[in-house]
Amino acid sequence: MKTEYTVDYLDQLESEAIHILREVAGQFERPALLFSGGKDSITLVHLALKAFRPGKFPFPLLHIDTGHNFPEALEFRDSLVGQIGEKLIIRKVEDTIREKKLTEPRGKFASRNQLQTYTLLDAIAEFEFDVCIGGGRRDEEKARAKERIFSVRDEFGQWDPKLQRPELWNTYNGKIHKGENVRAFPISNWTELDVWNYIRREKISLPSIYFSHDREVIEFEGQLVAYSSFILLDPSDTILKKKVRYRTVGDMTCTAAVESTAIDVDSIIEEITVTRTSERGETRIDDKFSEAAMEDRKKNGYF
């Protein structure tokens, strides 16, 4: 009797991601996994558990803390790290601002996103990391679609989309010159919907912020921004209480919520299936400043 085996597309994505993680561990001397407490980095941790258990991770988790985080994400970060028993390194943008005498951003939504580049590059230099693993996906934003899975940065941490290497037949070239650095993206070929389907299949826990909850927000140019001490209210602003959830978790100053009643993964998947807007396109205020906002930051060393 002939036995037929079927491979789910999530199995293929998982296998590719695990292969990339193991390639990173095999080709580099000092890797780190960038971890924020968001769904993509949580998925990366889950994949790393599959790739390396029962052994320890061959890299620490690195969080660049802007100081404007959602409390739910930080609480989940610390809880998860405690559960898996891996090393977490935290470097704070606030310390970088003080040490380098940087100018704190001003304005209604004063984001520290651009300043976290300094903190990341300092952390890379401090620990001599030669590769940082990130949760970037090609469906998020135009600039990220230009990334290779092994994306090379020069000795100044800068990214040039025209100087990236070909990647054929799942072969990744991690050779770099002294001072250069690589960003590795194991879930580069995943979409937002793929991540959520994988979370459902693997029963991965997430911060409560991803599910519908009551939150005080203000409406700004059609977006719902969480009311917090980090934003500068105008006299015309009205604080509203809405049922919302977050599609992506960045800083409270630059990440908008979406109105939603989705309280579980199945209902979130239903919402994503019918939406026509990417998660960053709908919810990231800092990406709306210009068409090239993300690409400009990446060229200067961001993520």
Side-chain angles (χ1 to χ4, degrees):
M1 180 178 176
K2 184 179 179 180
T3 303
E4 292 187 2
Y5 296 94
T6 59
V7 179
D8 184 88
Y9 86 99
L10 290 175
D11 292 329
Q12 294 176 326
L13 291 174
E14 178 189 73
S15 178
E16 178 188 52
I18 289 173
H19 170 66
I20 293 166
L21 285 168
R22 289 173 176 167
E23 282 291 302
V24 169
Q27 292 195 43
F28 295 92
E29 295 182 2
R30 293 177 179 271
L33 190 153
L34 300 175
F35 185 71
S36 64
K39 70 180 187 308
D40 294 326
S41 60
I42 292 168
T43 297
L44 281 179
V45 168
H46 183 83
L47 290 163
L49 290 169
K50 288 198 168 191
F52 302 112
R53 284 295 190 256
K56 299 285 285 184
F57 288 179
F59 42 70
L61 309 183
L62 172 63
H63 182 209
I64 304 302
D65 183 353
T66 64
H68 291 169
N69 301 282
F70 287 92
E72 297 95 327
L74 293 182
E75 290 168 9
F76 189 93
R77 177 200 69 186
D78 295 339
S79 174
L80 179 60
V81 170
Q83 288 174 27
I84 64 176
E86 296 292 342
K87 181 179 180 180
L88 172 66
I89 297 171
I90 300 172
R91 288 297 178 267
K92 297 183 178 182
V93 174
E94 191 169 344
D95 293 337
T96 306
I97 292 172
R98 184 178 63 255
E99 291 164 7
K100 292 183 178 293
K101 297 181 172 55
L102 300 176
T103 301
E104 183 85 41
R106 299 181 182 278
K108 188 176 185 66
F109 304 111
S111 172
R112 290 175 172 174
N113 261 5
Q114 293 193 29
L115 297 185
Q116 69 181 326
T117 297
Y118 294 96
T119 311
L120 173 60
L121 295 179
D122 284 350
I124 289 171
E126 178 185 355
F127 296 98
E128 299 182 340
F129 293 133
D130 49 4
V131 59
C132 292
I133 304 164
R137 305 187 325 268
R138 289 178 183 168
D139 70 323
E140 289 181 271
E141 195 275 339
K142 293 176 182 177
R144 289 188 175 177
K146 299 179 182 179
E147 292 276 19
R148 296 293 190 266
I149 289 174
F150 277 16
S151 186
V152 180
R153 267 58 171 173
D154 66 19
E155 63 271 25
F156 302 105
Q158 297 175 330
W159 172 75
D160 187 341
K162 297 178 181 179
L163 295 179
Q164 299 304 308
R165 300 163 178 174
E167 293 177 333
L168 305 174
W169 305 295
N170 294 326
T171 301
Y172 308 110
N173 180 2
K175 292 182 179 179
I176 55 175
H177 298 291
K178 184 175 178 60
E180 292 180 332
N181 192 269
V182 169
R183 305 290 189 276
F185 300 106
I187 61 172
S188 180
N189 289 324
W190 298 40
T191 66
E192 181 188 11
L193 186 58
D194 294 334
V195 171
W196 278 105
N197 279 325
Y198 188 71
I199 286 168
R200 175 169 62 181
R201 190 186 80 170
E202 299 292 306
K203 298 180 173 58
I204 299 173
S205 297
L206 294 175
S208 59
I209 197 169
Y210 281 106
F211 304 95
S212 179
H213 58 284
D214 293 321
R215 186 175 289 270
E216 289 186 332
V217 298
I218 63 168
E219 189 168 351
F220 177 77
E221 296 184 353
Q223 293 183 306
L224 300 175
V225 185
Y227 168 65
S228 74
S229 60
F230 304 129
I231 65 174
L232 184 63
L233 290 180
D234 294 325
S236 59
D237 286 328
T238 301
I239 299 174
L240 309 169
K241 195 166 189 178
K242 298 268 191 181
K243 280 196 173 298
V244 300
R245 70 175 185 87
Y246 286 83
R247 291 178 67 185
T248 182
V249 178
D251 278 0
M252 296 184 76
T253 54
C254 64
T255 309
V258 294
E259 286 197 76
S260 174
T261 58
I263 59 173
D264 55 34
V265 175
D266 286 337
S267 51
I268 288 174
I269 289 173
E270 288 180 13
E271 283 188 357
I272 296 170
T273 302
V274 300
T275 188
R276 294 179 178 272
T277 310
S278 73
E279 60 187 291
R280 292 191 71 94
E282 184 175 18
T283 65
R284 293 304 290 267
I285 297 170
D286 53 339
D287 286 348
K288 295 179 179 293
F289 293 147
S290 76
E291 279 290 314
M294 172 61 80
E295 184 160 334
D296 289 343
R297 291 205 302 275
K298 288 172 73 66
K299 286 179 179 178
N300 291 325
Y302 176 78
F303 194 21

